[in-house]
């Protein structure tokens, strides 16, 4: 945790963020919200919420990708843009309901929602691109492959519900892995400061490219 905080402080200094803090979003719970990650920026202050599983023995290898993805949201100020876009969408939907026939108003609201979903997907892919360029392509693909495998263990009804609920803000993992494979990567990807010193079975991890 201290190494993570030092890395965040270094990023904050580099990008002139006055304060960048981190906290657990859960207790140590393999079945709860231990795999969550979120971020928020307010002016020159920012905060990260991470599930404790990312610091556990099974998932710590994915921590650099998760951190860099959330830092991407912070540096892009995505939460602030999202607030403005959602408020604008609500205003336009109300105006459409007041001035247009019902069918056209519903259609306008649907189009606005699709536009916001498209923007949300793009922000996620843009942050994935940052993670690819810093952590390497294979590291990002491994993270989304892990999530895909976890979904495969869920009942079909739960899987369908989770897919419908997340589709409005996050692209499917298959698309994210496709995007990672097609993102340009620097010829030499430096070892991330949060990369575990040893991989599974005590092997030193190779640099992803």
């Amino acid at each position: 945790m201290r190494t993570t905080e030092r890395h965040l402080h270094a990023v904050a200094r580099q990008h002139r963020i006055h304060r960048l803090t981190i906290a657990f979003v859960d207790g140590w719970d393999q079945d709860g919200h231990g795999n969550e990650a979120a971020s928020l920026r307010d002016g020159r202050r920012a905060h990260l919420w991470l599930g404790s599983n990312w610091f556990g023995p099974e998932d710590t290898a994915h921590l650099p990708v998760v951190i860099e993805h959330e830092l991407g949201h912070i540096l892009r100020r995505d939460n602030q843009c999202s607030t403005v876009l959602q408020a604008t969408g609500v205003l336009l939907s109300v105006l459409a309901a007041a001035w247009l026939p019902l069918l056209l108003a519903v259609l306008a609201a649907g189009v606005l929602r699709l536009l916001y979903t498209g923007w949300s997907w793009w922000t996620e892919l843009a942050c994935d691109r940052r993670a690819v360029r810093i952590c390497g392509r294979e590291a990002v693909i491994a993270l989304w492959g892990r999530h895909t495998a976890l979904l495969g263990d869920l009942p079909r009804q739960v899987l369908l519900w989770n897919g419908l609920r997340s589709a409005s803000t996050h692209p499917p993992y298959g698309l994210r892995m496709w995007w990672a494979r097609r993102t340009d990567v620097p010829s030499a990807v430096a070892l991330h400061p949060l990369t575990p010193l040893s991989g599974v079975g005590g092997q030193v991890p190779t640099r992803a490219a």
Side-chain angles (χ1 to χ4, degrees):
M1 187 68 173
R2 290 181 179 178
T3 303
T4 303
E5 291 178 333
R6 286 196 296 268
H7 176 62
L8 295 181
H9 291 162
V11 173
R13 288 193 300 270
Q14 179 184 357
H15 295 278
R16 299 182 179 180
I17 299 175
H18 178 68
R19 187 177 184 185
L20 177 55
T21 54
I22 184 173
F24 286 139
V25 74
D26 68 316
W28 196 276
D29 183 4
Q30 293 288 338
D31 299 319
H33 298 286
N35 297 322
E36 295 293 326
S39 56
L40 178 69
R41 180 166 181 173
D42 181 14
R44 295 184 61 190
R45 297 174 181 268
H47 187 72
L48 282 174
W49 290 271
L50 292 180
S52 57
N53 288 353
W54 298 119
F55 294 86
E58 295 182 0
D59 297 319
T60 187
H62 301 297
L63 179 61
V65 176
V66 175
I67 288 284
E68 296 304 333
H69 177 92
E70 293 304 324
L71 285 174
H73 284 302
I74 288 174
L75 298 178
R76 288 168 44 87
R77 302 176 185 266
D78 283 337
N79 69 288
Q80 295 171 320
C81 293
S82 176
T83 300
V84 173
L85 290 175
Q86 289 189 68
T88 302
V90 170
L91 176 60
L92 292 177
S93 297
V94 170
L95 292 176
W99 294 99
L100 296 177
L102 178 59
L103 183 59
L104 289 179
V106 172
L107 180 61
V111 170
L112 289 171
R113 184 61 195 180
L114 287 176
L115 289 174
Y116 178 77
T117 298
W119 176 84
S120 297
W121 283 28
W122 170 248
T123 63
E124 295 298 326
L125 294 176
C127 294
D128 282 354
R129 179 172 57 189
R130 169 188 166 83
V132 167
R133 291 176 174 174
I134 295 177
C135 302
R137 180 180 292 111
E138 295 305 323
V140 175
I141 293 174
L143 172 63
W144 302 132
R146 166 197 178 279
H147 280 301
T148 301
L150 290 176
L151 289 177
D153 296 333
L154 297 176
R156 183 172 298 179
Q157 291 181 342
V158 176
L159 182 62
L160 179 60
W161 168 247
N162 289 341
L164 292 175
R165 185 178 60 178
S166 64
S168 62
T169 55
H170 290 73
Y173 297 132
L175 175 60
R176 301 179 82 160
M177 288 189 282
W178 176 88
W179 177 258
R181 292 188 183 98
R182 283 153 180 79
T183 297
D184 293 334
V185 182
S187 56
V189 178
L191 198 64
H192 194 277
L194 301 181
T195 300
L197 296 180
S198 61
V200 179
Q203 297 179 351
V204 177
T206 58
R207 296 187 180 186

